[in-house]
Amino acid sequence: MSASTANAAAPAGSYFGRKVGSLSKERRWALVSAYVCLVIFALFFLAPPIYMLITSFKTSAEVANMSGSPWLVRDPTLENYGAILGDPMFLRFFLNSAIVTVLVVSVTMVISVLAAFSLARMKFWGSQTLATGVFLTYLVPETLLFIPLYQIVGGLGLLNSIWGLVLVYPTLTVPFCTWIMIGYFASIPKELDEAALIDGANWMQMLTKIFIPVALPGIIAATIFAFTVSWAAFVYPTSFITTPDSMPLTIGIVSQLVRADTFAWGQIMAGSLLAALPPVILYALLMDYYIAGLTAGATKG
């Protein structure tokens, strides 16, 4: 190599070396910043459930004692969990929530899948406007809807009944689940439609044999959303249910464990943690499958 070539190569090599070093340094700072932010957010969002767990192991006397640290348990006890699990009324609340959630999720997914398939693939006049209108209905808050819905439910004689909740919960779940499914169905290649039509398939066969298997991640996401909303709803059951026999967990725990100005904090925290357990289990079981499904191509297999 000549001297002129070596002199020309040296500045270029040093330039690229500085560039790589600069990128590595920037990447390290980005990773450090990301981990710091994640730790801060984790501490911020995990503080309430950790405090609830600590309080659930305390006796009523220890909870009322304000001299010690609220983050420490001096005399751990399981009596709060025993009182909750041994109470037939709590089991009744759990059964009501389970029945309502299963029915609402089933109704929601049937309506959402059919509506999303029609709006995404069966193009007709006004389909795009109707799809946008479906999503906009989800933006209307519950605090504006519960009064007219109360009159409707009362007129049907479904107050103080879990069937009233089954009737009104889909107003929260169907619009958003339909919007999710529209996006997944619209992303499926149109070549699959054409191949199915050439093979003589009708619209229902296309839905059940092509679209539902391919859009399974979207169906799982919509199911998780519908389950979470149905299980954790508070405004509607508070408005429509006043008898303990028909109460779901969300209002049953509060209504039965709060007496005037007396709060059974230990049992309230234990009941709240037990009520939060089914959604946590659902997310733990389905999240890996959901993420894996997102990476699968529509024409895979």
Side-chain angles (χ1 to χ4, degrees):
M1 181 183 293
S2 63
S4 58
T5 304
N7 292 334
S14 60
Y15 170 78
F16 286 113
R18 291 194 303 270
K19 193 69 174 178
V20 172
S22 176
L23 289 176
S24 300
K25 185 176 181 180
E26 292 178 358
R27 185 174 182 179
R28 286 196 299 271
W29 276 108
L31 289 175
V32 171
S33 302
Y35 279 113
V36 170
C37 293
L38 286 174
V39 170
I40 293 175
F41 277 103
L43 293 175
F44 180 78
F45 286 107
L46 289 177
I50 291 175
Y51 181 79
M52 292 171 61
L53 180 63
I54 293 173
T55 306
S56 67
F57 291 121
K58 294 182 178 181
T59 62
S60 299
E62 186 174 353
V63 173
N65 185 10
M66 304 299 294
S67 60
S69 173
W71 298 95
L72 298 177
V73 183
R74 295 184 181 85
D75 299 312
T77 179
L78 294 176
E79 65 179 14
N80 294 319
Y81 290 94
I84 289 293
L85 295 176
D87 187 357
M89 189 61 68
F90 177 84
L91 300 179
R92 181 64 186 177
F93 296 156
F94 187 92
L95 181 62
N96 290 338
S97 292
I99 293 174
V100 171
T101 300
V102 170
L103 292 175
V104 170
V105 170
S106 301
V107 171
T108 298
M109 296 314 301
V110 171
I111 296 176
S112 299
V113 169
L114 294 176
F117 179 72
S118 301
L119 294 173
R121 309 304 280 197
M122 301 173 65
K123 297 297 183 181
F124 53 89
W125 183 84
S127 60
Q128 293 297 324
T129 302
L130 182 58
T132 304
V134 168
F135 176 72
L136 291 179
T137 58
Y138 172 72
L139 303 180
V140 181
E142 303 171 60
T143 52
L144 295 180
L145 293 175
F146 80 92
I147 295 178
L149 286 177
Y150 181 89
Q151 295 179 337
I152 295 174
V153 172
L156 296 175
L158 296 178
L159 292 177
N160 292 318
S161 171
I162 61 174
W163 299 107
L165 301 181
V166 174
L167 177 65
V168 299
Y169 280 4
T171 61
L172 302 174
T173 57
V174 169
F176 191 77
C177 291
T178 302
W179 183 258
I180 292 177
M181 296 308 304
I182 288 175
Y184 273 90
F185 286 151
S187 66
I188 296 176
K190 295 184 179 297
E191 289 77 9
L192 296 179
D193 301 32
E194 298 171 356
L197 291 174
I198 292 174
D199 292 338
N202 55 38
W203 287 107
M204 187 57 64
Q205 290 174 331
M206 290 172 56
L207 173 63
T208 56
K209 297 183 181 298
I210 297 177
F211 283 86
I212 290 180
V214 173
L216 193 59
I219 295 176
I220 293 176
T223 302
I224 293 175
F225 174 82
F227 179 90
T228 304
V229 171
S230 303
W231 189 268
F234 188 81
V235 174
Y236 286 164
T238 302
S239 305
F240 304 149
I241 306 295
T242 57
T243 57
D245 290 340
S246 301
M247 288 182 177
L249 272 172
T250 49
I251 64 171
I253 294 174
V254 177
S255 64
Q256 298 303 306
L257 297 178
V258 177
R259 301 295 184 183
D261 58 347
T262 302
F263 293 78
W265 285 115
Q267 294 184 26
I268 291 175
M269 297 303 177
S272 299
L273 289 174
L274 292 175
L277 195 59
V280 172
I281 295 175
L282 180 68
Y283 277 90
L285 293 177
L286 297 181
M287 190 55 63
D288 290 342
Y289 179 73
Y290 171 60
I291 295 174
L294 290 178
T295 61
T299 58
K300 181 178 179 181

